[in-house]
Amino acid sequence: MEIKQAAFVVSNTQVAKCPTHKLPEYAFIGRSNVGKSSLINMLTNHKGLAKTSSKPGKTQLINHFLINKEWYLVDLPGYGYAKVSKQSKKTFQQFITDYFKKRRELVNAFVLVDIRHEPQKIDLEFMQWLGENAIPFAIVFTKADKLTEKQIQEHVTSYSEILLQQWEEMPPYFITSSENRLGKEDLLSYIETINQSLKA
């Protein structure tokens, strides 16, 4: 798939105010500072589409981007270590939950994980929550350019061993880097495959 058009549509904190077009949606979410905005910009060939920041927790809204006029890329707030007030964090964690539970157009979530770190409890708990709520998801390992191929494989194996203690099989996963565009084609092909299956 080649992304020829990527346009910001709307930001909000209420699922009821999300776009009414019945196009498939793919949600991107992860811990704060996982490299989500950089990944979105890399996938869409658009440097400033998603706002990047050195401060964790920059995204605090549900952001919809229309891709090729065929599907929506949804940029969701990071969970975890964002420097926001407890009340603010409680509010947007609730609307993240509402989005996943109520948004019928959602066809797949991409959970972003920094491949440099050991499996984090908060990521594993979030994946478990998605599974319990029957929400299809794939794991996107980010910042792979920071590791050697051997280290990458070791970290993926470590994740697999932990996940397979609770899951029958490893969820689909992608190794990516916004710096060298690693994983871009694989990720977009995966989305294209799902889109085609929905049309069948």
Side-chain angles (χ1 to χ4, degrees):
M1 180 202 299
E2 182 182 353
I3 293 184
K4 297 178 180 178
Q5 282 185 306
F8 170 75
V9 178
V10 68
S11 293
N12 64 76
T13 59
Q14 297 180 40
V15 178
K17 293 183 179 179
C18 288
T20 55
H21 295 290
K22 304 301 180 184
L23 296 175
E25 294 184 359
Y26 296 84
F28 286 71
I29 190 168
R31 279 191 301 126
S32 299
N33 221 23
V34 76
K36 177 164 54 70
S37 296
S38 296
L39 179 80
I40 289 171
N41 292 338
M42 182 267 281
L43 290 175
T44 58
N45 298 315
H46 201 309
K47 271 189 177 179
L49 193 70
K51 298 292 186 288
T52 58
S53 173
S54 59
K55 293 181 180 179
K58 185 74 174 174
T59 308
Q60 295 185 22
L61 298 164
I62 302 171
N63 297 305
H64 275 75
F65 301 97
L66 182 59
I67 309 298
N68 292 346
K69 297 183 178 180
E70 294 180 342
W71 55 278
Y72 283 104
L73 186 158
V74 184
D75 182 10
L76 293 172
Y79 49 79
Y81 311 109
K83 290 184 179 178
V84 294
S85 69
K86 285 186 178 181
Q87 183 56 45
S88 175
K89 184 176 289 189
K90 186 177 180 181
T91 299
F92 68 72
Q93 296 296 9
Q94 181 59 53
F95 73 70
I96 291 173
T97 303
D98 286 347
Y99 173 82
F100 280 111
K101 285 188 172 182
K102 297 177 181 178
R103 190 65 175 161
R104 293 183 178 180
E105 288 76 14
L106 175 69
V107 295
N108 199 86
F110 291 104
V111 181
L112 277 60
V113 172
D114 188 332
I115 199 166
R116 298 174 299 174
H117 305 310
E118 294 298 313
Q120 302 289 307
K121 183 182 177 184
I122 193 169
D123 292 326
L124 296 170
E125 287 177 348
F126 185 69
M127 292 179 205
Q128 185 68 26
W129 183 85
L130 291 174
E132 289 170 355
N133 286 276
I135 297 163
F137 74 93
I139 301 170
V140 179
F141 291 103
T142 62
K143 307 187 182 184
D145 58 289
K146 309 295 185 186
L147 300 178
T148 65
E149 285 193 24
K150 183 182 178 184
Q151 289 173 319
I152 289 170
Q153 197 52 56
E154 288 173 350
H155 282 244
V156 171
T157 299
S158 177
Y159 245 94
S160 298
E161 289 173 351
I162 290 176
L163 286 172
L164 291 174
Q165 292 173 12
Q166 294 181 307
W167 299 75
E168 290 185 6
E169 59 183 5
M170 180 74 172
Y173 68 88
F174 301 89
I175 310 296
T176 71
S177 165
S178 300
E179 291 295 318
N180 59 26
R181 309 176 83 77
L182 176 69
K184 178 179 178 178
E185 290 186 11
D186 290 342
L187 199 47
L188 291 178
S189 293
Y190 183 72
I191 291 172
E192 177 67 12
T193 299
I194 295 175
N195 282 342
Q196 292 302 321
S197 70
L198 294 172
K199 294 176 183 177

